[in-house]
Amino acid sequence: MNQIPSLSNELHRRATRKAFLKLIPLMCAIYFMSFLDRTNVALAKVHLAADVGISAATYGLGAGIFFLGYALLEVPSNLLAHRIGPRRWIARIAVSWGILSVGMMFVAGERSFYIMRVLLGIAEAGLFPALMYMVTLWFGTADRPVAIGWIYTAPALALLLGNPIGGALLQLDGHGGLHGWQWMFLVEGIPSILLGMVLYFKMPDRPSEAAWLNRDEAAALENQAQADVPQHAEYFSSDWVAAIKRPTTILIGLIYFLNQVAFVGLYFFAPAMISQMKIDSPLVVGLLSASVGLGFLLGVLVLPRIHRRVASDSRYLGALSFGLVLGAAAFILTASLVGKVLLLAVTAFFAGGVLPSYWSIAMKRLSGIQAAAGLAFINTVGLLGGFVGPYLFGMAESATGRSESGFLVILVAAILGLLLVPLLAIAFARESGVAVGLEARA
């Protein structure tokens, strides 16, 4: 009696292992490069101030304005990914942002800095929600938190490895008549262009197009990806606007917005915080700033696996939000250099480690074109937080003269996010009640 389900489960497990081994590394590689190219400006902050006169407030606005350009095109970009296939769209994104990332080496003042950051955001618009949309096509609900967690190891590694690499490249200052930050933008931008070309030929859109899966394995993945999606009309409709209007989508987006205010501000200003701890070597600043990447990496590897064992999504989010509040408060209260570096990692553990959970929770309630639109909407709201965060951090530094004053921004954002979690729990309960009622009538 149990033989057929057992064989079916084993087929799906085998196919899932193949997808993790073959697909996830490609998704990680492209996200790694995108994160490296968007955040390497953090290491250039002090040098841009010295070489082209960019102030802390200008830097904060320029760092954040990337997300404004990104957010404006997020939903239409992901709808195009749904229409033409994520492979082609992601490859286009990678090549265009790689070219613009190299172009950052030509920044000569405030105006060109703003223009290049906006264009970089526009070029990258749609990348992350396209990756999340691919997750909905390839993985079932139980596997999504871990799949997303692996994808998030890419930005974590970009912060962990990128800061020391960028710090080393900054020491090329004067070679070939270029500043160190110009070498950094040049050397780190070219691989993105090459990787985009590779993805065009190597990354399948969906299981049925993967040469490394047989027909039964592809069918098992695609069937399981849809198995847990509620089948009533509101959830499975082709009306993508319905996904954006759903209370759970809006609330997840707002909590994500506050998270990004805190986390984006943290990783854009961490090198400046380290620099103000009387550390002059760019390489040492890069190495110590990597504590943010280390905390982020541990978070995305550990926390999604804990999430799979927690029945209540809202309680889980509440616990992580509370951890972020405690981490930010502890940083503000400590005077120890070692303690501050460790608390940078702790803050990143909670602020970054929670990210896979936002997406896996949203994916439970979205499918098809609704997934493309809803996930893009959530990311758009979060990106606005990515714009606001660095701007607030820059204003805080300008007012106090200390980069670490941005931790007050983190603390306030974390408290507000924690207060929204009970509202999300209520929305979950109401949405579940509506689903049960509709299914009973069907």
Side-chain angles (χ1 to χ4, degrees), residues 34-334:
S34 76
F35 212 81
L36 186 69
D37 288 342
R38 89 167 64 154
T39 59
N40 54 13
V41 70
L43 286 168
K45 176 179 179 289
V46 175
H47 306 276
L48 286 170
D51 295 333
V52 294
I54 291 177
S55 67
T58 298
Y59 166 79
L61 179 58
I65 210 170
F66 163 92
F67 295 94
L68 189 60
Y70 198 147
L72 289 173
L73 296 176
E74 193 77 332
V75 172
S77 179
N78 216 35
L79 291 174
L80 278 170
H82 175 77
R83 175 184 282 271
I84 70 174
R87 173 180 62 86
R88 293 182 182 87
W89 197 241
I90 290 171
R92 191 283 307 164
I93 289 171
V95 172
S96 58
W97 104 58
I99 292 170
L100 287 165
S101 184
V102 171
M104 282 290 294
M105 67 184 293
F106 300 111
V107 165
E110 291 185 7
R111 181 179 297 178
S112 58
F113 181 61
Y114 290 148
I115 290 172
M116 292 304 299
R117 291 295 294 177
V118 170
L119 291 177
L120 193 62
I122 290 172
E124 196 182 321
L127 173 66
F128 184 75
L131 294 175
M132 294 299 97
Y133 174 56
M134 286 190 70
V135 170
T136 69
L137 300 177
W138 283 80
F139 299 102
T141 300
D143 296 309
R144 287 173 184 171
V146 176
I148 300 168
W150 279 114
I151 292 170
Y152 266 115
T153 63
L157 287 171
L159 289 174
L160 183 63
L161 303 176
N163 282 332
I165 292 170
L169 290 172
L170 287 173
Q171 297 193 138
L172 293 175
D173 191 57
H175 286 72
L178 298 177
H179 295 295
W181 55 270
Q182 290 177 306
W183 277 111
M184 182 181 66
F185 288 131
L186 174 63
V187 172
E188 294 183 351
I190 291 174
S192 298
I193 301 170
L194 300 177
L195 182 57
M197 297 175 182
V198 171
L199 289 180
Y200 183 84
F201 296 102
K202 293 292 184 181
M203 188 167 70
D205 281 324
R206 55 186 68 237
S208 59
E209 299 176 10
W212 35 268
L213 291 172
N214 62 42
R215 185 178 301 177
D216 291 338
E217 290 169 338
L221 284 176
E222 293 188 352
N223 291 338
Q224 190 61 41
Q226 294 297 327
D228 299 321
V229 177
Q231 295 299 310
H232 55 77
E234 182 189 357
Y235 279 60
F236 208 69
S237 169
S238 62
D239 178 12
W240 59 268
V241 177
I244 294 175
K245 294 190 297 184
R246 190 169 299 149
T248 52
T249 302
I250 294 170
L251 282 166
I252 292 171
L254 289 174
I255 295 171
Y256 184 43
F257 168 87
L258 291 165
N259 169 276
Q260 292 296 278
V261 167
F263 190 43
V264 174
L266 173 66
Y267 65 68
F268 271 122
F269 277 78
M273 294 179 195
I274 299 292
S275 294
Q276 290 186 345
M277 296 176 188
K278 299 181 180 179
I279 296 171
D280 298 323
S281 167
L283 182 57
V284 175
V285 169
L287 288 170
L288 293 180
S289 300
S291 60
V292 174
L294 179 60
F296 187 11
L297 180 62
L298 291 174
V300 298
L301 288 176
V302 172
L303 294 178
R305 287 160 176 78
I306 295 174
H307 188 190
R308 287 207 295 190
R309 293 168 172 79
V310 177
S312 172
D313 288 333
S314 55
R315 289 181 182 176
Y316 176 78
L317 290 182
L320 296 192
S321 298
F322 186 64
L324 180 57
V325 170
L326 292 180
F331 183 95
I332 292 168
L333 294 173
T334 189

